[in-house]
Every structure is written in C-alpha cells, then in structure tokens.
Amino acid sequence: MTDPPDDLPIRITSQDLHTEKVEEWLRREEAIRAVPEEAVPQPPGPFAFLLNSVVYTTIAGLLGGFFGWAVLEPFVDDDSESAAQLVSAVLFFPVIGMMVGGCVAAMEGLVSRNWRRAVSQGAIALALSFGLSLAGGIVAGIFYGLGNWAVITVFSLDPESPDLRGASFFGQMVARGLAWAVAGLCIGVAQGLAAKSKKVAANGVVGGLVGGLLGGLLFDPLDRLVMGEEWLSPERTRGAEVSRCVGISIVGLLLGFFLGLVENLAKDAWLYMKAGPLRGKQFILYHDPTIIGSSPKSHVYLFKDPAVEPRHATIAVYGNRHRLKDLDTPAGVTVNGRPAKSHVLAAGDRIQIGDTVLEYGQRMRP
C-alpha cells in the first residue's frame, strides 16, 4: 500500500481499518491540523531576579570564595613557616580558583534544574580551574613578588616589616590586583572549556581579568577595614582569619559578577522564557545548533512537559540571523501562534513548545 498524495483525502478500506499504516496516517493528519492552544505569557514571579545570570553567578562566586577560604584556612599559620603553611601558600590560587570556577559553572545547571549538567560542568570546571590556576599561580606569584619588591625598593621600606601607607599601600594593592587578574583569567578560560564554547571562554577571559583585578585591588583595603587598629600592629595576626574570609569571599563575588555581566553585555542572541517552569530566565544562544528539548543533554532544557520531545527543535545560525527548525515532532512548534516547521527568527518572535513560550531576542551589530 502506497501513501496517497498530500492533496487527496485519506480513504480507509475495511482491510485497512486496523493496520498500523492507517494509524500512522491519522496521527500525521492530527499533528498537521492541530494548532496547540497558545500559552498565555505571565509576569515573572517575585523571585525571578534569582534567574538573572548576573545575580546567580555573583552568588556562586561568593560561595566559591568562601568555600575556598574554608578549605585553606586550617592550614594557614601566620606565625610559622611550617610545611602546611608552605602548601597553603602554593595551593592558594588553585584552591580558590577551583572553588569559584566550579561553583559558577555548576550554578547554570542548578538554576535550570538540570542536575546532570550542574554536576558534569561543575566537575569539569572545578578540575580545569585547579589545573589552570596552578600554572597561573606561578605567574601570579611572580607579579605579586615583583610588585612587593618594587614597593619596598622604591619607598626604602624594611623588608621584614614594611610600613605600608599612602603610595606604598597603593603599590601593594596593584601588585595583588595583578596577581588576582591572572587567577581570574584562568577561571574564565575554564568556564568556556567546561561549556565547550569559544564565546563563553572569550567572555570568561574578560570577566575574569576585570573581576580578579578589582577584587585584588580591594583585598588590602578590606583587610585594613576589617582588622581596624590591629592592622597597624607589627604582628597583625589577631583577626587575620576573618579579614582573609571577607577578602577572599569578596574577590569570588566580583569574579562571579563580572563573569555574568560580560556574558550579558556580549550576547548576540538569546531566548527569554515568557511562560513555563523557569519563567523569567534567559538562555543565551552560544551553540550552533542550540538544541531545545526534554533531554538533560539539551542546551535549553524543558522539563516535566509530556508534549516536549527529548530533541524537539533546533536553532541554528542562518547568516546574521537564526533559523528555528521543528524536528518532526508530534506536538510541533508554533511561532507567533502559527505552526512552523522551519522559521527564520526575528527579534520579538514568540516560540511555543508544549506549555513553554520563549521570546527570541537579538542584538544587531554593524
């Protein structure tokens, strides 16, 4: 039995009535003719601000910095040059970088409720951040050492107990800022490698450099602010653990903030969820193609919707625009309320897949 032409009605004989072929024809006709009920876009919920990538990468960076401090602090002894103190000094940047990088990479999956992605990307970024920061820590240490040497030499300070005030204090800030900028660069590169995206890596380099530099510049002023008069003491050991906790956590916060900020400023195209379980979340289109579906492997993960197939649709680069393609799914895809097998997207187009509505956005560049 051959398929009838598309422009003729389907005729079913008594022999065909219960065949699988007829059932397939009926399913095909229903899928073609059915227009899903258009979901009504809803305003974001009261906690939708937590779905903003700048917000959640900032939180992730803060947590990563705190966790890094918590791992290192038991091995820090300001009054000795023990083996543990030496190890903590060598592993300072790698451990902080590992914790900040791992938390920032995992947070995207956690916010999207994609636990598989959170674990996999978090673990990859954690390992890569440690390795890259271990190598970068050598460069950071050189910057910091040269900066300290320059401050002590230029201002003729006592190397054993330098009196860091005024210009010499600023020199110390710059030295530490350069060292943290190197560490931030390593964390940013790790984000791109974990996400398997050159754009994420490029954005990470910029965000990591800026966040690390500013965090490093603020480290000593925060140290001085937290310790108060104790900071002026030659010993400067009492309360040092609190100042380190605050300083490292703030560095992590700034790294996370600028990683998220640069990502948003540099985006070219994105999807904004207007209706669905993650209403108010933005998905930046980094991959070509971007896969939308119910599988955790999808770049845009639409969970707990029986109408969504594991691989439901793709969005691919099409010149300087993007083209949406339905992957021959039973429920189909609609764009602006109309069924669409393939559609070249324009800014403001509303894509409905199951009960989810995604609004396409694009920044046109000259």
Side-chain angles (χ1 to χ4, degrees), residues 1-353:
M1 185 170 58
T2 60
D3 291 354
D6 292 339
D7 57 348
L8 294 178
I10 297 175
R11 301 186 184 281
I12 303 175
T13 66
S14 58
Q15 290 96 353
D16 295 333
L17 188 59
H18 300 292
T19 64
E20 180 60 30
K21 192 67 174 179
V22 169
E23 294 294 331
E24 176 61 29
W25 282 342
L26 291 174
R27 284 194 292 269
R28 189 186 306 173
E29 280 293 302
E30 289 175 359
I32 292 172
R33 293 181 180 179
V35 178
E37 182 179 349
E38 189 170 2
V40 178
Q42 302 169 349
F47 299 104
F49 71 95
L50 293 174
L51 299 176
N52 185 303
S53 60
V54 178
V55 173
Y56 63 71
T57 56
T58 300
I59 295 172
L62 175 65
L63 292 174
F66 175 78
F67 293 152
W69 168 82
V71 170
L72 286 171
E73 190 59 33
F75 302 99
V76 175
D77 186 351
D78 295 303
D79 294 323
S80 75
E81 296 181 359
S82 64
Q85 175 72 2
L86 178 61
V87 171
S88 68
V90 171
L91 296 181
F92 181 81
F93 284 118
V95 170
I96 303 299
M98 173 180 72
M99 290 300 179
V100 173
C103 285
V104 171
M107 190 61 79
E108 171 65 29
L110 291 175
V111 169
S112 301
R113 302 184 198 177
N114 190 333
W115 319 125
R116 174 175 177 168
R117 181 183 302 169
V119 172
S120 62
Q121 286 195 190
I124 292 170
L126 186 143
L128 289 172
S129 295
F130 181 86
L132 291 171
S133 296
L134 187 61
I138 298 173
V139 178
I142 292 173
F143 278 143
Y144 185 63
L146 288 175
N148 272 341
W149 174 83
V151 168
I152 291 171
T153 302
V154 170
F155 296 99
S156 302
L157 302 179
D158 179 3
E160 297 298 325
S161 182
D163 184 14
L164 296 175
R165 302 168 189 260
S168 61
F169 182 71
F170 179 74
Q172 167 82 356
M173 290 169 53
V174 171
R176 202 182 297 273
L178 291 174
W180 274 109
V182 174
L185 182 150
C186 296
I187 294 170
V189 171
Q191 298 303 304
L193 294 175
K196 300 179 182 178
S197 169
K198 293 180 180 178
K199 288 184 178 180
V200 174
N203 294 341
V205 166
V206 177
L209 278 172
V210 175
L213 178 63
L214 291 180
L217 288 171
L218 289 175
F219 191 94
D220 287 299
L222 286 170
D223 181 28
R224 190 167 185 171
L225 179 65
V226 171
M227 295 190 69
E229 293 183 2
E230 179 68 17
W231 192 87
L232 297 173
S233 168
E235 301 293 329
R236 282 197 293 171
T237 57
R238 191 177 64 192
E241 65 279 357
V242 177
S243 69
R244 276 192 294 268
C245 176
V246 173
I248 293 171
S249 298
I250 294 300
V251 170
L253 179 148
L254 288 171
L255 281 166
F257 173 77
F258 280 100
L259 286 170
L261 180 65
V262 171
E263 180 183 72
N264 269 270
L265 293 177
K267 66 186 179 185
D268 292 316
W270 60 93
L271 298 173
Y272 181 79
M273 189 173 289
K274 304 286 287 187
L278 295 176
R279 180 170 83 251
K281 182 168 180 2
Q282 174 184 263
F283 299 87
I284 298 177
L285 303 181
Y286 283 123
H287 300 276
D288 185 25
T290 294
I291 300 170
I292 306 172
S294 61
S295 168
K297 294 182 179 179
S298 301
H299 302 121
V300 180
Y301 176 45
L302 305 181
F303 51 91
K304 293 184 179 180
D305 189 337
V308 181
E309 299 298 314
R311 290 170 59 93
H312 199 104
T314 60
I315 295 179
V317 174
Y318 187 72
N320 62 348
R321 299 173 71 180
H322 287 81
R323 180 170 62 184
L324 170 73
K325 183 180 180 182
D326 172 31
L327 299 179
D328 297 323
T329 57
V333 177
T334 67
V335 178
N336 300 326
R338 298 181 178 181
K341 286 292 184 182
S342 180
H343 181 83
V344 178
L345 294 166
D349 279 349
R350 288 188 175 179
I351 305 162
Q352 181 170 344
I353 298 176

